[in-house]
Amino acid sequence: MEPLIGVKIGCLFALLIFTLLCGLIPICFKWFQIRAATGHHRRVLSLLGCTSAGVFLGAGFMHMTAEALEEIESEIHMIMMQNRTENEGNSDLTPVMEYPYGELIISLGFFLVFLLESLALQFCPGAARESTIKEEDLGDAHALGFHSHKPLPFSSQGPLRALILLLSLSFHSVFEGLAVGLQSTVAATLQLCLAVLTHKGLIVFGVGLRLVQKGTGAQWAIFSILALALMSPLGLALGLAVAGGDPEGGRGLAQAVLEGVAAGTFLYVTFLEILPWELASSEAPLAKWGCIAAGFAFMAFIALWA
């Protein structure tokens, strides 16, 4: 058992250091600041942003949503089996879950963020001024039917959506680390840790790039990346603490529901914040499509092991 614990502790530090480095790269190097870029440099940063948008899209569908649906279905199926066994004393027949509970929970996460932003617009109309899209940030947006000096409908609420993005990723990261901490063999631990490192590094890099391109202050950006990098090690530490125990008292279902809500919030931010921001300019549409598709495809490929 001691070698397994040693490997898990090593994975804990690897998750912390690697994800922290990936997130700090775009923050610490001025090359990634799109506001100071011109010409070819600006186009490269735009395409890099599109690739990160594809990574977010792939993470939302191929990792967060897929894992949440699987966990929710598994937990509800287990509860139905237990109820049938207790009530009828017969567990030979497998209960069929006809209602899409997983999809409902993810949708609730989506509408939760929608409600928060609607409340912000209703009671804090001045917040909309933070999301005004300037011409130097997006270039020509007339191709989408918007004028570059006006805010897009339901446009980014700045700090609110950034906070929601970080919270949803934090929930998911904790559960990823928890999964690594609960592995029972060295091989399984290393395989899952490598998969988590690969896709978490890309996601955190995308978050850092997003914070830089949105003009977030350096101190807040660094604090956000540090907090996000700590989530997977925290989950792994929790996994080490409860290794060998079975979820009781609905804890497994509660975790599955939280991950489903996190997936819904992540999809909201991806579709209403990240993708519109990257696609607002009509420049090089096919190149942008290719970068988004490449980012998504890479995350789909990693899903074979994660």
Side-chain angles (χ1 to χ4, degrees), residues 1 4 8 176-193 239-240 243-244:
M1 198 55 150
L4 179 60
K8 289 182 179 180
E176 283 182 333
L178 185 63
V180 175
L182 290 174
Q183 297 303 306
S184 58
T185 65
V186 171
T189 301
L190 290 175
Q191 181 180 3
L192 185 57
C193 182
L240 278 172

Side-chain angles (χ1 to χ4, degrees), residues 31 37-47 283:
W31 188 87
T38 58
H40 181 69
H41 182 193
R42 186 181 184 87
R43 175 173 293 187
V44 171
L45 286 178
S46 177
L47 295 179
E283 183 182 7

Side-chain angles (χ1 to χ4, degrees), residues 239-252:
L240 278 172
V242 301
D246 296 325
E248 296 177 356
R251 187 182 65 195

Side-chain angles (χ1 to χ4, degrees), residues 170-222:
S170 296
F171 274 120
H172 183 64
S173 297
V174 169
F175 296 135
E176 283 182 333
L178 185 63
V180 175
L182 290 174
Q183 297 303 306
S184 58
T185 65
V186 171
T189 301
L190 290 175
Q191 181 180 3
L192 185 57
C193 182
L194 288 174
V196 171
L197 278 173
T198 304
H199 99 269
K200 177 103 182 278
L202 288 173
I203 291 174
V204 177
F205 177 86
V207 172
L209 184 64
R210 179 74 35 197
L211 293 173
V212 169
Q213 293 183 349
K214 294 296 249 178
T216 306
Q219 291 183 342
W220 166 246
I222 293 173

